Every structure is written in structure tokens, then in C-alpha cells.
Amino acid sequence: MAKGSVNIPQLCSGIISDVRSGKFAPVYLLMGDEPYYPELVCQAIVDCCIPDYDKDFNEIICYGADVNAEQVTGTARRFPMMAERQLVVVKEAQQMKTLEDLATYCSDPLDSTVLVLLMHKASADKRRGLYKAVQKNGIVVDSPAVRDYEIAGWISSYYAGRGLSIDPEAAALLGESAGTDLNLIAAETDKLVRNLPEGETRIRVADIEKNVGISRQFSIFELTRALSYKDGAKALKIATHIGSSAKFAMPMAVSALYTHFYRLIKYTAALHANPRLEPAEKAAVLGVSTFFLREYDSALRNYSLSSLMDIMALLCEFDYLGKGGDGAATAPDKLLVELTARILNA
């Protein structure tokens, strides 16, 4: 979840720790493609900055579509009413047509005002004045999207941060259900934790199936596993079930399969360069837990590099068909079955 050399979870944890102890920057620019961390920091500031009895007078929360830079600046330059500080929050700040004009205020912010600019799935231009001014005088959180191959690792880390452990298969299943939506993962985790027996800290596949409402038996996770072992009967059964689901979307299924077989190509190349890789090194190449190495080793025995390249071409073809290309003569619920059969024969 890091962007460049910045560890976003660690950065946000530090910011939240500071605001809970009463340490605030005069201005925060919270932005990025993934809204979870910007919203988490914003909420922590709102919770801690102004006491409840002072919020009516010294807390202003507005939306970018409803204000302009002149109004925000005027509010931010006011002094707090019989209090140490005031809080001004602009949510959906990317909708402000004059957002960049706030660079002037952010170049010389008032110490008694905490100004929060929260952008939703958007970012300020780093070449321009606003970003540079906040970077110099305040705090910037730039939260990049988590890629699908990173999500199981993020889930494991997130659970560890909450004093929980999650089995690798359970993390993979939760990631398949929630995708890369960190807010959804956090919400599903809250629901799951409420239903755990008192004192239980280990999350298993059964917990995910029960509380999140996804069955491992008929999931893309199990389909990729069946394909790895070239278990044709099981793979076709799973593909038929998934394809008939009301929520089925071929592009999402192809994306998951693409990630799986791309990992196998990387793994093949890494082992060709160094056949003596240690398990931890293999897992790092694949971007998975060492728990899954047996599956990937079996897959390499079942698919040659030439076969893997053919499969990647197939995935591109079926991605095109799944999005309606060439009129998609095959019914959507049959496309995944056809793709699965062709992968098994590659």
C-alpha cells in the first residue's frame, strides 16, 4: 500500500496518534484513488479536534460543491470563539471549482485553525501551488489504490493491526468478495468481529463464509486452484456455478484469472533465473503467502511457459468477448465455462 517510499498505513497511524494526543497541523490535504485512509484520518480529526460542547461554534463542515475558495479562506481566517482552535473541513473538495486558489491561504495558514481538504477518489495537481503549500506547511496523505494482487496481504496486515489473525485462504476469500474496496473490507470485518465468540482472535474460512456470505466451494479462488491442479471436472463445475450467478461479471472473472496466470509466468521466469529460491523468496515473487506455494508448484508442473502464454492470449480474447466484443455470440453465463475448458486444454 506504499506509494514510492511512503508507507501510507504507517503515515496515517502516526497522524491519528498525533491528533488523539492533541497535536494538529494547520492544514491537511487528504487525497488519492483509495478513499479509505483519507476518510479514516479525516474522521479522526473530526472526533478529536473540537470538544463536543464547542462543536456548534468552532466546527464547520461543508462540501466542495457548495463553497468557493474565498468563502473557505474567510472562514479559516476567523479566530475561534472562546476556544483554542477551530476546525474547518471541506469534504468532496475536488468539486470546488476554485480549489487551487486555496494555495494562498495554505502558504500562510492560521495556527488557530485546522483546515482539512478531503478529496474523494481524486488528487490535487502536485505541480501546482496548493499541493506544494500544504506539503510545506501541513500534511499531505496521498492514498493510492490497492491492486488486486496486494489485497490479501493488506487484509492480513489490517487484521494484525486489530489484534486478529486471518488464515491465508480466508484472506483470499474475503479479498475475492470485497475486491479492493478497503471501506467494504473494514465494514465486513466489523460485522465479523461482532459475531465471533468472545476471546476468539483467529479468522478461518468458515468465519468468512458465515459472516460475509460467500462460499469458498464456488468462488474464483477455488476455480484458480482447480485449474492449477488441472482438476477438469471440478473446474468446470465451479465455472458453471459462477457463470450462472446473478452477480456474475465476466471482466472481473477474467481479471482474477489473469492475475493468477501472470503470477505463474513471473514464477517460471524467477525459477529459471534461480532454481534454488527459498520459499520466502518464491512467495515474494508471487506476492502470496508461502501457504500457497504447493498450489503454484503444482501449476508449473501442469502448464509449460508456452501454455501459459497461450492462456494469457485466451484471457485477452475472452475479456474482449465478455465486454461485448464481436457481438459476443456466446451467452455470458457460458463464456466462463468455455474459457475454463480452453485453459484446461492449453
Side-chain angles (χ1 to χ4, degrees):
M1 191 54 201
K3 186 164 187 173
S5 60
V6 178
N7 184 314
I8 298 299
Q10 187 177 68
L11 170 66
C12 294
S13 178
I15 295 169
I16 292 171
S17 177
D18 282 346
V19 302
R20 285 175 176 168
S21 65
K23 299 176 184 176
F24 297 90
V27 58
Y28 296 85
L29 177 58
L30 311 177
M31 64 183 201
D33 294 331
E34 170 48 60
Y36 174 75
Y37 286 106
E39 290 173 2
L40 192 68
V41 171
C42 182
Q43 190 58 54
I45 295 170
V46 171
D47 289 344
C48 301
C49 190
I50 306 298
D52 288 344
Y53 57 81
D54 264 347
K55 285 183 181 290
D56 288 344
F57 301 104
N58 292 303
E59 179 179 283
I60 300 92
I61 298 178
C62 55
Y63 290 83
D66 302 326
V67 295
N68 57 40
E70 184 178 358
Q71 292 170 314
V72 174
T73 298
T75 302
R77 289 204 180 282
R78 293 188 321 201
F79 289 98
M81 185 175 295
M82 296 181 291
E84 180 183 357
R85 68 177 72 91
Q86 69 163 344
L87 172 65
V88 180
V89 179
V90 183
K91 295 186 175 182
E92 302 277 358
Q94 76 280 357
Q95 295 186 13
M96 276 185 65
K97 294 180 179 179
T98 56
L99 176 64
E100 189 60 35
D101 292 347
L102 288 174
T104 302
Y105 172 80
C106 293
S107 296
D108 185 23
L110 211 63
D111 289 339
S112 57
T113 293
V114 176
L115 173 62
V116 180
L117 304 175
L118 175 64
M119 305 180 76
H120 183 74
K121 294 185 177 181
S123 296
D125 190 335
K126 296 181 181 180
R127 301 166 299 181
R128 303 192 65 186
L130 175 62
Y131 177 86
K132 292 178 179 178
V134 180
Q135 192 177 45
K136 179 180 179 181
N137 298 303
I139 292 175
V140 174
V141 172
D142 185 6
S143 179
V146 180
R147 293 167 175 79
D148 53 4
Y149 62 83
E150 299 173 321
I151 199 63
W154 186 89
I155 290 170
S156 296
S157 178
Y158 174 70
Y159 272 62
R162 295 189 59 164
L164 304 167
S165 66
I166 183 168
D167 292 352
E169 285 185 310
L173 193 61
L174 177 56
E176 179 181 330
S177 172
T180 57
D181 186 337
L182 304 190
N183 278 313
L184 178 57
I185 291 170
E188 293 288 6
T189 301
D190 289 340
K191 180 173 70 174
L192 187 154
V193 168
R194 286 196 296 270
N195 292 318
L196 283 178
E198 187 175 354
E200 181 61 71
T201 60
R202 180 183 173 187
I203 311 302
R204 300 169 175 83
V205 166
D207 298 311
I208 301 299
E209 291 179 316
K210 178 181 177 181
N211 294 286
V212 179
I214 181 174
S215 171
R216 173 179 57 174
Q217 184 180 1
F218 297 112
S219 65
I220 290 289
F221 172 70
E222 283 299 309
L223 176 58
T224 57
R225 178 186 292 238
L227 287 170
S228 292
Y229 290 107
K230 275 213 168 178
D231 185 340
K234 183 176 182 180
L236 290 168
K237 180 181 179 181
I238 294 171
T240 300
H241 188 278
I242 293 174
S244 63
S245 168
K247 296 182 179 180
F248 173 67
M250 188 66 182
M252 292 182 66
V254 171
S255 176
L257 291 169
Y258 185 95
T259 297
H260 180 71
F261 284 100
Y262 178 67
R263 282 174 175 161
L264 287 173
I265 292 174
K266 285 177 61 181
Y267 193 30
T268 301
L271 289 176
H272 179 75
N274 182 5
R276 297 183 178 180
L277 286 176
E278 295 294 326
E281 295 173 314
K282 292 178 179 179
V285 169
L286 288 164
V288 300
S289 164
T290 54
F291 177 87
F292 296 105
L293 287 181
R294 181 181 175 187
E295 175 190 339
Y296 282 94
D297 287 334
S298 294
L300 288 197
R301 289 191 290 271
N302 289 322
Y303 298 96
S304 66
L305 180 58
S306 175
S307 294
L308 292 172
M309 297 307 293
D310 288 343
I311 289 169
M312 296 301 278
L314 270 177
L315 291 170
C316 291
E317 175 188 343
F318 276 79
D319 182 58
Y320 176 67
L321 294 174
K323 293 173 180 174
D326 285 344
T330 305
D333 62 331
K334 299 291 191 276
L335 273 177
L336 184 60
V337 176
E338 183 181 337
L339 173 59
T340 300
R342 292 179 65 178
I343 288 174
L344 289 167
N345 290 321

